[in-house]
């Protein structure tokens, strides 16, 4: 009975982790560069239900103030890539027009999130919590 509970607990935790967004930064030389960020759920991580950040200073469950801006910026960049691919065939194709419309909508949302972040920065002053910049490692051959 005990092993069933342990196995089911591990399976449920693995399922939850797979449904979350995991960002990390690592360095062999500087401990200050090591950090892990987990955001749940993956499909709308701009408005997290659960947030954990761990670095050399400890754990934090308070989401940064610029998370919504990061979310919409990433989605906008992805939409620009899709638009570029779809518009190769021609700017008058239905897929190109749809991609352009989606990119314009996301551009508006990025602007709204930017204005919201500026308002938060004016209200809080030095107490604004900004997130770290996470970039995927680029391997060159």
């Amino acid at each position: 009975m005990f092993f069933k509970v342990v196995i089911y607990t591990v399976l449920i935790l693995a399922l939850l982790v797979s449904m979350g967004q995991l960002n990390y930064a690592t360095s062999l030389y500087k401990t200050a560069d090591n950090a892990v960020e987990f955001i749940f759920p993956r499909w709308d991580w701009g408005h997290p239900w659960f947030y954990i950040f761990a670095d050399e200073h400890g754990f934090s469950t308070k989401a940064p103030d610029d998370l919504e801006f990061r979310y919409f910026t990433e989605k906008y960049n992805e939409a620009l890539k899709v638009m570029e691919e779809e518009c190769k065939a021609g700017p008058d194709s239905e897929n190109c027009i749809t991609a352009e419309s989606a990119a314009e909508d996301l551009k508006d949302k990025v602007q709204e999130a930017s204005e919201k972040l500026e308002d938060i920065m004016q209200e809080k002053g030095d107490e604004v919590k900004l997130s770290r910049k996470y970039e995927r490692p680029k391997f060159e051959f």
Side-chain angles (χ1 to χ4, degrees):
M1 179 68 179
F2 175 73
F3 293 110
K4 283 185 180 181
V5 171
V6 171
I7 289 173
Y8 286 128
T9 303
V10 168
L11 289 175
I12 289 171
L13 286 175
L15 179 66
L16 288 176
V17 167
S18 69
M19 291 172 36
Q21 176 81 17
L22 185 66
N23 300 316
Y24 59 91
T26 59
S27 173
L28 292 173
Y29 306 108
K30 297 179 185 176
T31 58
D33 291 343
N34 296 329
V36 176
E37 179 183 52
F38 178 73
I39 308 167
F40 181 82
R42 175 187 301 268
W43 54 89
D44 189 18
W45 61 266
H47 308 94
W49 300 348
F50 182 70
Y51 179 87
I52 291 180
F53 177 78
D55 64 355
E56 68 175 358
H57 302 294
F59 287 96
S60 173
T61 57
K62 184 180 180 289
D65 295 320
D66 66 340
L67 196 59
E68 185 177 0
F69 177 73
R70 269 180 48 204
Y71 174 73
F72 286 121
T73 302
E74 184 174 308
K75 294 295 180 189
Y76 177 64
N77 291 336
E78 290 173 7
L80 288 178
K81 289 178 185 175
V82 169
M83 185 179 73
E84 182 180 313
E85 288 294 318
E86 294 295 335
C87 292
K88 282 183 180 177
D92 296 333
S93 69
E94 184 177 325
N95 291 341
C96 180
I97 293 170
T98 304
E100 286 176 347
S101 174
E104 285 297 318
D105 291 344
L106 285 169
K107 185 177 181 181
D108 294 339
K109 291 191 179 200
V110 167
Q111 185 63 33
E112 290 172 12
S114 175
E115 291 169 359
K116 189 175 180 183
L117 181 60
E118 288 176 7
D119 291 343
I120 290 172
M121 291 175 97
Q122 287 178 354
E123 287 176 13
K124 290 186 176 182
D126 292 338
E127 296 179 13
V128 174
K129 182 180 178 189
L130 298 177
S131 57
R132 296 176 68 162
K133 183 176 182 182
Y134 296 95
E135 294 179 357
R136 293 192 171 100
K138 296 177 184 174
F139 300 106
E140 296 180 10
F141 296 100

